[in-house]
Amino acid sequence: MRTLHRITVAAILGLAITACSDSSDRSPGAPVEPPVEPPVEPTLSAQIRRTEYGIPHIKADDWASLGYGYGYAYSQDNFCVTMREVALASGRWAEFTGEDIDRDFLSRYINGTKEEFTADFFNKLPQRDQELITGYAAGMARYLNETGVDNLPEGENGCRGEPWVFSPDRIDLMMYLRKIALQASTDQGIVRGAILAVKGPDALQMANIDSMEVRPGLKRDLAAMGREIRPSEVGSNAIALGSDATQNGGGLLLGNPHQPWNGSGRWYEAHLTIPGEYDAAGASLQGLPWIAIGFTRDVAWTHTVDYATRFTLYEVPLNPDDPMQYEYDGEWRDIVTTTVSAQQLLEDGTVETQEHTFYSTQYGLVLDLGGVNPAIGGWPTFAGTLMTMRDANLDTGLRSLRQWVEKAQATNMEEYRQALRHIGNPVFHEFAADRNGGMFYGQISAVPHVDQAKLDQCLTGIGALVAGATTNAFIGLDGSRSACEWGEDADSPEGSNLFGLSSHPQILGTGTAGNSNNSYWLTDVTRPLEGFPVVFGWMGHEGNQQFLRTRITHSMIADRLAGGDELSETPLFDQETLKTLMYSNRVHGAELVLDDVLQICDEYLNNPEADPANAPALADTCEVLSNWDRRVNVDSRGAQVFTEFWAGIRDTYGSPYQNVVVSDEFWAVDFDPANPIGTPAGIDLTVQANRDLVIEKLLQANQRLTDAGVALGAPWGEVQFLERNNERVPIHGGAGTMGVFGAISASLQEGGYKNPRAGNSYIQVVTWDESECPIADTILTHSQSVQPDSDYYADQTRLYADKRWVRFPFCEDEIQAAQIGETLVLEE
């Protein structure tokens, strides 16, 4: 066992004072008795053991010490990743680098000074949360102090010698944690840009207001805005199975988040224990001091990204005589100005103070959507109004840690559900299962309390136009009436005006739930959740076309329940069939259209009137597709052709907000809300335009791959790979947009689909048997560490390439058997 001791600051000061003191009573030459030192009691103490693949198991007796051990262990692998994010969130980035001072301005507006943030935010956290965050920051600081800035890791993800490296404290870390909660709202790129674009009233523009009715091309321009702010590819899959769906009658859970493989969106595996109080294993996003997706002795949980409403725009009429006033219930209210300052490093090495003024209404910050699209205008809009916003997640960070800790302390599904009453989840669907065969699903995240009646009454003006152009991804309400303010439930978190736990779509039972980022509607296709306002999930809302990934998820679930698939002759699920399903790598888009594509191709090539110049390339392309196994395994040949072909179809018919192919002519069987998993399907071969489009996109796919130097029939693992220390690790899985359950997001580059940016990340399949220990098979696709010299830089990636898993050690005897290296005891 290796122990690192550090004497407390108070003890060090005490020794220094003793050494410097003298006494007039001391006789010259008399023996000096050494001072009696009181025993130094460590205020922080944690034990760190690592098992295979670098997974740290941290044990402590209190929350501060648990955070301390976790912060230190995490920093050994990925310190620079979170240090960068902490520096960005601190409001000092321009002071360190001279860059991006606008981000600092917004951080300083949202958080205030460190003293203000401490009083207004940190001190409102429960004591347990404060201690955990304080300890984690202390663990990071200890790692930095021991390592030194000049000895930190180098490279793309390193920070050796960087000016933005400093010893973080609890407030620095909490600012970063709050920033994470705002990623889907105030800190979303397009929203941040619209806030920072506001420069105040423009008197010249005020004098030339066009009416909404005569503004030419407005809807077209708003649609263009929609394409600018479509959602990202970050997503996930989850399947929760209760006793009715499993062979042994216990619970079973698949967690498959599709997160970034670089930066703060990466996962980090760990096991955190306070004996008798908290014992959770799984993974956290970088720098989070709690287990975000994971399992305990009795419960397992996961999330999928939830496209619900996180903020609402409010449109307020401006006073024609005073552009700094807006109308509310027939009265004029003043717009509030707040000026913040930040330091900026100049080229000569000096630092200069810069200022920025923010404008706000009772709802929140004022936006200038003219920067997004000039059709709307800024201050004022073309309608003589002002756009402002209210963010549902501004205070979610106060409730998040409490919720995640209580989830991990639950022993069954009702206790898990009750932990969600805090509404501390900023952006995810919730899934869970327990050892007794219970399962739970809930769309229980921070959603503004805007019911359907309020939407019908208050979705007006520019807000209605924006909602129509973005299929309700962005909604704007009438801000001139108090009747359009957010409401509340009896169980809403106090002062939040969010929907309370009881109002959210949810399933508690022993059946089946699955989600692949569409709304709550078809989580259980046998019992759709219906009658909820669109704010609970605009992506694939009730009665709307679903992702191809959603459709294959539910198709695979139905086939497995009936025993009608290739996984096993025995119906229902066990751990092995669920793991095999995870790695099946079917391409549902090809299952729906490839037969028609090949028929179109064959008939074109046999048509004497066809362009002979296209024949050789087209023949090669279609031959590869005809021999392809319609999967994205590492040995599949031709997946790259369909990947590029389907991307071309989506470019033509893809919905910018719903991420589906929508056309009245393309599909042979159109979408039917009564059969949402089976439709749309096939290509309408009677429409010549469809035949022409297929030929065009096949030739385009051939050209794109040829230009990139990618052979049409090369094995997928040679085409899609992750580079690690000059090694190409093959990556299976493919684009979720073409119906691959195990989604990988990678763009075609010279030489292939190199270094995926996101997709399958931390995957867990968890169940239980008669023993006390959960049975968890996991994989971290991008591996544990970002440091190229680490043993954990590519080890799990190689396992993933071979479709292998890691049995996560949870109980003490399992940890001891899998431990590598010595136990590290940290005391401070």
Side-chain angles (χ1 to χ4, degrees), residues 133-313:
I133 292 167
T134 299
Y136 194 96
M140 289 186 64
R142 173 165 183 163
Y143 168 82
L144 174 60
N145 293 339
E146 290 179 355
T147 305
V149 176
D150 293 333
N151 296 313
L152 291 169
E154 296 182 284
E156 179 183 358
N157 294 296
C159 56
R160 179 175 295 181
E162 291 289 353
W164 41 266
V165 175
F166 58 89
S167 186
D169 62 24
R170 60 184 187 172
I171 304 305
D172 298 317
L173 181 63
M174 189 63 220
M175 285 183 174
Y176 162 55
L177 298 179
R178 190 187 193 196
K179 181 176 182 292
I180 292 176
L182 298 176
Q183 286 181 340
S185 48
T186 296
D187 202 43
Q188 185 179 154
I190 192 152
V191 178
R192 187 170 63 242
I195 292 170
L196 291 164
V198 176
K199 304 302 180 186
D202 184 332
L204 294 177
Q205 191 180 11
M206 283 294 297
N208 294 282
I209 300 173
D210 295 330
S211 70
M212 189 181 306
E213 289 76 15
V214 301
R215 188 78 175 188
L218 177 63
K219 291 185 178 180
R220 181 187 67 248
D221 291 339
L222 286 172
M225 182 189 77
R227 287 189 289 274
E228 291 290 325
I229 50 182
R230 76 184 81 186
S232 70
E233 293 184 57
V234 173
S236 302
N237 301 312
I239 298 175
L241 304 166
S243 57
D244 295 342
T246 63
Q247 294 174 8
N248 69 356
L252 181 58
L253 182 86
L254 167 66
N256 174 217
H258 300 155
Q259 283 290 120
W261 286 17
N262 287 291
S264 59
R266 284 172 53 103
W267 291 104
Y268 184 80
E269 293 178 289
H271 180 190
L272 307 180
T273 303
I274 299 177
E277 187 169 3
Y278 182 84
D279 193 10
S284 305
L285 296 180
Q286 305 284 300
L288 269 65
W290 64 85
I291 298 299
I293 287 178
F295 52 93
T296 66
R297 289 183 183 271
D298 300 309
V299 170
W301 69 94
T302 189
H303 312 121
T304 62
V305 172
D306 162 27
Y307 290 104
T309 297
R310 304 300 166 202
F311 62 88
T312 61
L313 304 177

Side-chain angles (χ1 to χ4, degrees), residues 91-96 101 104-105 108 341-345 351-354:
R92 300 178 62 196
W93 188 253
E95 177 186 341
F96 298 133
I101 195 169
D104 290 345
F105 288 142
R108 287 175 177 247
S341 62
Q343 304 296 309
Q344 184 169 29
L345 180 68
V351 175
E352 183 175 86
T353 300
Q354 305 285 356

Side-chain angles (χ1 to χ4, degrees), residues 125-139:
L125 294 170
Q127 184 66 28
R128 176 187 62 196
D129 298 0
Q130 293 184 30
E131 291 173 2
L132 186 59
I133 292 167
T134 299
Y136 194 96

Side-chain angles (χ1 to χ4, degrees), residues 470-471 518 538-541 544-545 547 655-660:
T470 64
T471 59
N518 280 132
W538 52 267
M539 183 80 85
H541 188 59
N544 284 276
Q545 188 173 330
F547 291 168
S655 166
Y657 272 90
Q658 297 299 318
N659 282 351
V660 292

